[in-house]
Amino acid sequence: MPRPIEALVHTAALAHNLAVARRLAGDARVWAVVKANAYGHGIERVFGALKAADGFALLDLAEAERIRACGWRGPVLLLEGCFEPRDLELCSRLGLWHVVHAAEQIDWLAAHKTHEPHRVFLKMNSGMNRLGFAPQAFRGAYARLNALPQVGEVSLMTHFSDADAPRGIAHQIAAFSAATADLDGERSLSNSAAVLRHGGTPGLHNDWVRAGILGYGSAPDFPEHDIAHWCLKPTMTLQTRLIATQALQRGDTVGYGSRFTAERPMRIGIAACGYADGYPRHCGSGTPVLVDGRRTGTVGRVSMDMLAVDLSDCPGAGVGSLVTLWGHGPGGAVLAIDEVAHAAGTIGYELMCALAQRVPVRTVD
Ligand SMILES: Cc1ncc(COP(=O)(O)O)c(C=O)c1O
């Protein structure tokens, strides 16, 4: 028998969340961001549910080939553009649009032989200080690109550092707008947090929004807001079963390092899920978990293949009981991945991307 752990990818929830993005995006077109193997869900698994998007934005050529192999003929955007000159050959062959964030990428384009001019998204560093041309260098890059026969349409983009946080996006919009006011081209500025929180901000104009995490049912600004607030649904469930129970006496400890000590007699269950499955080791006792749909908490340290859960309020639970680590539980119960991430001092993105290879994945409606 295989271990009872499995992950579920919920296609109806993916489609629902995409519809939320589309509604909030207004007239803008929506990139479904499927980098990092669709945030750990699997590009091929999410494709059917997300093909109502206007395009797919992703990281590298391997992912682009996979989305084309799914049968997608529409726009595909490489979010970091090319990593070396020969990447341009595949861009030409697969009709990929690509970000241009550095002068070297323009040099490569200038030396590239292609029949079809490329569509590029010129990226401004408006304050994130990660990728992109500084505002004062942006117009020069724009002019260079427009002069190249290898380049067709030039679109303009930037990326927000604080769309989910108090600092917000106004300072970056100001930098972007000042440097691009009279430049032709479609604009793409907003990520999920900007779509959710900053629609209608003066000066924010998107022809394309880039919706990543919201599509996967995680709130970028948790705990300020949760997915219920944003009307999003979890798209990934991690579930397993209890494989043992233990009756503890007062003073008994649980797991490596004896991090938990029972203050009274209590029952715990041992679930077949550990950090080697992608469950975070850095969450302390009390991290929320569902047992047969009932909310309880973890107990002690997470080990490689197992973790312990408190069964004090789950009298009917025993070996075989369903344990939902995140996502959808029985009876309509929901445990947002953000709650688990928060308990581990991280974000939903990291947990979904870190789902381990060894966990079998099933696609459900
Ligand atoms: C350039 C760019 N656009 C869009 C996204 C999507 O962000 P989110 O998942 O927060 O919507 C990312 C993700 O990091 C990104 O790097």
Side-chain angles (χ1 to χ4, degrees):
M1 283 291 282
R3 286 170 80 225
I5 191 165
E6 65 175 350
L8 309 178
V9 168
H10 302 273
T11 55
L14 285 160
H16 166 89
N17 296 340
L18 176 64
V20 171
R22 197 175 272 302
R23 183 166 46 75
L24 293 174
D27 292 338
R29 277 155 287 164
V30 178
W31 292 111
V33 181
V34 293
K35 66 195 175 108
N37 197 23
Y39 290 47
H41 290 63
I43 286 178
E44 292 75 11
R45 286 188 203 101
V46 303
F47 174 71
L50 297 186
K51 68 183 180 196
D54 299 296
F56 287 91
L58 37 73
L59 193 64
D60 61 21
L61 294 175
E63 290 178 337
E65 285 184 298
R66 286 168 62 190
I67 211 82
R68 286 284 185 240
C70 287
W72 179 252
R73 298 280 157 261
V76 174
L77 178 65
L78 297 177
L79 283 166
E80 294 179 16
C82 294
F83 297 98
E84 56 177 325
R86 65 175 179 175
D87 291 352
L88 289 165
E89 290 162 23
L90 207 59
C91 289
S92 291
R93 189 137 42 87
L94 297 180
L96 308 179
W97 303 1
H98 46 103
V99 166
V100 171
H101 61 78
E104 291 77 1
Q105 293 174 320
I106 305 182
D107 299 339
W108 302 341
L109 265 167
H112 178 57
K113 292 187 176 33
T114 181
H115 299 299
E116 282 297 317
H118 287 205
R119 168 101 183 240
V120 297
F121 277 62
L122 180 61
K123 184 165 188 174
M124 182 189 295
N125 172 14
S126 59
M128 172 78 126
N129 285 311
R130 201 172 61 171
L131 297 182
F133 292 86
Q136 59 277 18
F138 193 78
R139 303 175 76 84
Y142 180 84
R144 258 194 92 193
L145 283 172
N146 272 302
L148 291 180
Q150 292 89 343
V151 173
E153 201 171 329
V154 181
S155 302
L156 318 177
M157 76 179 271
T158 195
H159 191 50
F160 296 130
S161 58
D162 288 72
D164 57 346
R167 191 174 181 203
I169 62 174
H171 62 295
Q172 288 187 261
I173 293 179
F176 184 82
S177 303
T180 61
D182 57 341
L183 301 184
D184 286 338
E186 294 192 333
R187 268 87 168 142
S188 177
L189 287 81
S190 293
N191 58 356
S192 293
V195 168
L196 293 168
R197 292 166 64 97
H198 298 292
T201 299
L204 176 60
H205 173 81
N206 280 290
D207 296 292
W208 293 83
V209 298
R210 306 187 300 274
I213 195 70
L214 82 80
Y216 302 102
S218 165
D221 56 356
F222 187 87
E224 185 183 345
H225 297 116
D226 62 12
I227 50 171
H229 175 87
W230 295 123
C231 299
L232 301 172
K233 296 182 179 173
T235 58
M236 179 192 285
T237 293
L238 180 61
Q239 65 184 27
T240 187
R241 294 193 180 269
L242 293 183
I243 56 170
T245 60
Q246 302 293 340
L248 305 184
Q249 301 307 312
R250 186 168 181 274
D252 283 350
T253 63
V254 178
Y256 289 117
S258 301
R259 285 299 180 94
F260 179 85
T261 305
E263 289 174 353
R264 52 180 166 73
M266 64 185 285
R267 220 161 59 92
I268 61 167
I270 307 300
C273 176
Y275 61 78
D277 298 301
Y279 192 88
R281 182 172 174 277
H282 291 287
C283 51
S285 293
T287 299
V289 59
L290 307 177
V291 175
D292 289 333
R294 184 185 285 246
R295 190 173 270 254
T296 177
T298 62
V299 166
R301 264 196 185 143
V302 173
S303 44
M304 183 183 283
D305 311 312
M306 286 173 272
L307 57 81
V309 298
D310 185 353
L311 297 182
S312 302
D313 295 327
C314 310
V319 169
S321 286
L322 186 65
V323 179
T324 307
L325 287 322
W326 60 68
H328 297 272
V334 167
L335 174 55
I337 196 168
D338 300 324
E339 289 191 60
V340 182
H342 190 65
T346 185
I347 50 178
Y349 298 72
E350 186 178 1
L351 296 195
M352 50 181 82
C353 290
L355 182 72
Q357 284 279 355
R358 78 178 192 183
V359 177
V361 183
R362 195 154 52 91
T363 305
V364 297
D365 256 0

